[in-house]
Amino acid sequence: MTGEEIELDLMPEAAPRGAGALAADTRDARAAMLADTLAWAVSHGIPLSEALRTVPVPEGRCGVMGLLAFCPSPVRRALLRVIPDGAFWRSQWPARLADLRLRLEAGATLSQALRGAARRYLPAYFLTGVDEAERQGRLPVALPVLAGRLRMPIGIARRQRAVWTFVFARLLAGLGVLNFVCVMIAPKFEEIFADLLEGRPMPAAMRLVQGGLLQAALLTALAALLIVRALGRMGRLGELVLLRIPGIAGERRRLCFYELARGMAAFTAQGEDIVAAAEWSARSTRSAWLRRRLRRFAAAVRGGAHWTEAWDRLYVGRPVERWIIRNAAAREEVAAGFDLLAEWLAEEMRRTGRLVRMCLEPVFTVLMGLVVGALAYALFAVIIEVSRGLV
């Protein structure tokens, strides 16, 4: 059966979602679109490489990314590892889909092909779930469940990075304005004031601009953001430091807890017991801190402790978040409880991001106002001082 026949005759269930996801043009939508297509194909016995031909891709081949279609597979795969998605005026999505099809046609398993070609789009727990489902021969059952869990927003980590990128950009812009004022404007005022004052001391407000106190504060904040960014890429050692920085530690733990809740929801929804779900989540998480706690949780449950009590002793969430899981266990709806917990944590992190953005604008307005106000006050102070000398 050809790809065109699949697209026209067998894909009506997946096509509406694919069209909406393409319009959104986000990484989350593409992950959900890819997972839905794969789940539909395995449920209906359609070859995966053929089903992937029905996934919509942006039209046109403008930009450097369009040239990847003509590169040999090893060269294309090497370039895709280093080029950010969306760079060079063209998304990697078409090239990665083509690479995924080639891997499947070459005989790779679905988990191997996804890890090699689409790892950037899919969360770690999804890849672990596909790997385990293939090993157990339950892919037609597990893949639709995993795909269903991608229909809620999955880019919380990227949204958090976007918030701090916004902070970084504002700091950089503020530093540029301050440098312009202190280097180009303030010296001119200083020359004028020196001529008018004829050796008398400069106003205190002018000394504030001359001293570069605000510049030093912004440079310190900028350096701190760069250090935090570097620590986030240093694995276990970086995490060890970040989890001891007030403010950042809480948000990092919350992000890890959110990813854990989504993974536990996906694994328990497949019918896996809580210990297996915890072990799979430990394999999926990038956090060494959370991995240790999950292994301790699994060992406690195997030792005879009730899993809700062992979960409370993880101490990875607030009391209300632990209550959500206890309540779900009492209702025997564990997967739904983890879904609710993930939604709760996602909203908490979105609220934090909005709060940072709301607070950043007035802070920079006040900083710029201090500089302009200091120059204005210095000007009036000089005028008053000169007027007194004329009396």
Side-chain angles (χ1 to χ4, degrees), residues 243-300:
L243 291 180
R244 284 161 175 77
I245 301 177
I248 295 176
E251 285 304 304
R252 189 170 183 88
R253 288 192 182 99
R254 189 164 297 275
L255 177 60
C256 293
F257 197 25
Y258 166 76
E259 293 175 347
L260 169 62
R262 299 197 64 240
M264 293 292 287
F267 298 144
T268 53
Q270 298 178 39
E272 296 296 334
D273 62 80
I274 198 73
V275 175
E279 289 174 342
W280 293 5
S281 297
R283 286 177 50 194
S284 302
T285 184
R286 294 165 294 179
S287 170
W289 165 80
L290 185 58
R291 192 179 303 117
R292 288 194 304 270
R293 290 172 179 261
L294 285 173
R295 288 170 178 167
R296 192 161 61 239
F297 165 79

Side-chain angles (χ1 to χ4, degrees), residues 114-198:
L114 289 175
R115 288 183 186 277
R119 189 178 195 139
R120 184 172 292 182
Y121 293 91
L122 298 168
Y125 78 84
F126 185 92
L127 299 173
T128 301
V130 171
D131 190 15
E132 291 293 334
E134 282 185 327
R135 188 174 59 82
Q136 298 176 6
R138 299 175 58 248
L139 195 59
V141 176
L143 196 52
V145 175
L146 291 168
R149 289 305 183 280
L150 293 186
R151 291 172 186 170
M152 63 182 294
I154 62 177
I156 294 297
R158 290 193 293 275
R159 291 189 180 96
Q160 279 195 317
R161 285 195 295 270
V163 169
W164 294 110
T165 301
F166 176 72
V167 174
F168 178 83
R170 290 307 303 265
L171 283 172
L172 204 59
L175 191 61
V177 171
L178 280 179
N179 278 330
F180 176 77
V181 171
C182 295
V183 174
M184 303 298 295
I185 297 178
K188 303 297 183 183
F189 274 84
E190 186 179 357
E191 292 176 6
I192 295 172
F193 295 164
D195 291 339
L196 293 174
L197 292 173
E198 297 178 347

Side-chain angles (χ1 to χ4, degrees), residues 10-129:
L10 300 177
M11 293 297 288
E13 301 173 27
R17 178 168 177 79
L22 184 61
D25 196 28
T26 63
R27 193 178 298 183
D28 292 354
R30 286 170 174 167
M33 181 167 55
L34 174 61
D36 278 351
T37 303
L38 294 173
W40 188 91
V42 298
S43 299
H44 292 76
I46 306 298
L48 295 179
S49 58
E50 293 296 330
L52 289 174
R53 296 181 185 278
T54 66
V55 178
V57 295
E59 296 181 357
R61 291 195 174 275
C62 59
V64 177
M65 291 301 300
L67 300 177
L68 291 184
F70 306 101
C71 293
S73 294
V75 177
R76 180 169 61 246
R77 290 169 184 172
L79 291 174
L80 287 175
R81 290 191 186 97
V82 298
I83 298 176
D85 192 24
F88 301 102
W89 311 284
R90 176 75 187 277
S91 169
Q92 293 187 10
W93 181 241
R96 287 190 176 273
L97 277 180
D99 189 28
L100 181 59
R101 289 197 304 269
L102 289 175
R103 289 173 185 268
L104 290 171
E105 290 169 356
T109 64
L110 179 58
S111 61
Q112 292 171 344
L114 289 175
R115 288 183 186 277
R119 189 178 195 139
R120 184 172 292 182
Y121 293 91
L122 298 168
Y125 78 84
F126 185 92
L127 299 173
T128 301

